[in-house]
Amino acid sequence: MGTVTLGVSIAVPEPYGSLLQERRASFGDPAAYGIPTHVTLMPPTEAEAADLPAIEAHLDRIASAGRPFPMRLSGTGTFRPLSPVVFVQVVEGASACSWLQKRVRDASGPLVRELQFPYHPHVTVAHGISEEAMDRAYAELAEYEAAWTCGSFSLYEQGADAVWRKIRDFPFETGGGTPAVPAQGGYSVDAPSLRS
C-alpha cells in the first residue's frame, strides 16, 4: 500500500476560509489554493497507508472526548526570522487546540512525532514568499477578525499534486460539527483520496 502524507487540522469555516485563502493567493503564495484554510493540529506526517484504520480510530477517540469550543482570530503575527511565515493569530481557543494536538501525537497512539518548533496555533496567510509580500500580508490583515464555534477537526491527505484533500471529519461528542470545509480555490477538498 505504501506511505501517505497526512495532516490533522481544524478547518476555518465559511465565509472566513475562502476569504483568507484568496488573500493568501493575492500575496503571491503559490501554495494558497492547495491548502484549505486551517489551524494545524498535526503537521505533515508520513504514515503507512495500512495504518489508516488505526489512525481514524485514534482520532475518533480524541473527538469523542472533546467538546465544542469558541475560536476567535484577531490580527497578525509572524515567525520571522526563525521561519518565513505570516499568520492570523488565534486569540481564543488556543488552549483547546493545544489539548487536541497533544492527544493527536500522544505516545499511546499511531501518530507519535516530535515537532520542529513549539506548538503555536495560528492560521498561515503567507509562507516562503518575498519579504515585501510578507510585510504586506502582515499589514493588510492586521485588523482581521473572525469567530465561530469549533465542533470538529479533520484528517487530510496530501496528494502527489501537493493539494491537501480531506479524508474525513471528526465531530466532537456534543454540539455537531463546524460547517463542512468548502471546496476552496476550485479544488474539491472532499474529493476521494489518492491512496490506493
Side-chain angles (χ1 to χ4, degrees):
M1 288 183 96
T3 61
V4 290
T5 301
L6 303 175
V8 179
S9 64
I10 294 169
V12 175
E14 290 304 298
Y16 316 117
S18 288
L19 184 146
L20 287 176
Q21 188 179 50
E22 289 164 11
R23 294 308 308 271
R24 183 170 178 171
S26 77
F27 302 132
D29 190 327
Y33 290 123
I35 305 172
T37 308
H38 68 282
V39 176
T40 298
L41 297 177
M42 183 189 74
T45 300
E46 292 291 318
E48 294 295 325
D51 291 340
L52 278 168
I55 290 168
E56 291 187 34
H58 171 65
L59 297 176
D60 267 328
R61 286 189 294 274
I62 295 166
S64 70
R67 297 292 178 266
F69 59 92
M71 287 280 286
R72 188 164 66 88
L73 309 179
S74 181
T76 48
T78 183
F79 295 132
R80 295 182 292 172
L82 192 59
S83 181
V85 173
V86 171
F87 57 86
V88 173
Q89 298 185 73
V90 174
V91 296
E92 187 175 5
S95 61
C97 291
S98 291
W99 183 89
L100 287 167
Q101 66 87 26
K102 283 179 189 172
R103 277 144 190 84
V104 168
R105 299 183 301 104
D106 190 81
S108 67
L111 294 172
V112 179
R113 67 160 290 168
E114 293 297 316
L115 298 180
Q116 184 178 359
F117 301 107
Y119 182 72
H120 181 87
H122 64 280
V123 178
T124 298
V125 291
H127 179 230
I129 56 178
S130 73
E131 289 294 320
E132 180 183 18
M134 285 194 286
D135 289 344
R136 190 163 64 89
Y138 187 89
E140 290 184 13
L141 292 171
E143 303 298 319
Y144 184 79
E145 298 276 341
W148 70 94
T149 298
C150 177
S152 66
F153 59 87
S154 303
L155 175 65
Y156 289 83
E157 179 182 343
Q158 187 179 39
D161 57 1
V163 174
W164 286 91
R165 293 175 177 85
K166 184 167 54 177
I167 294 175
R168 65 172 276 216
D169 290 319
F170 295 87
F172 299 134
E173 190 64 29
T174 59
T178 56
V181 65
Q184 298 172 14
Y187 290 102
S188 175
V189 293
D190 289 316
S193 168
L194 296 180
R195 67 182 189 267
S196 55

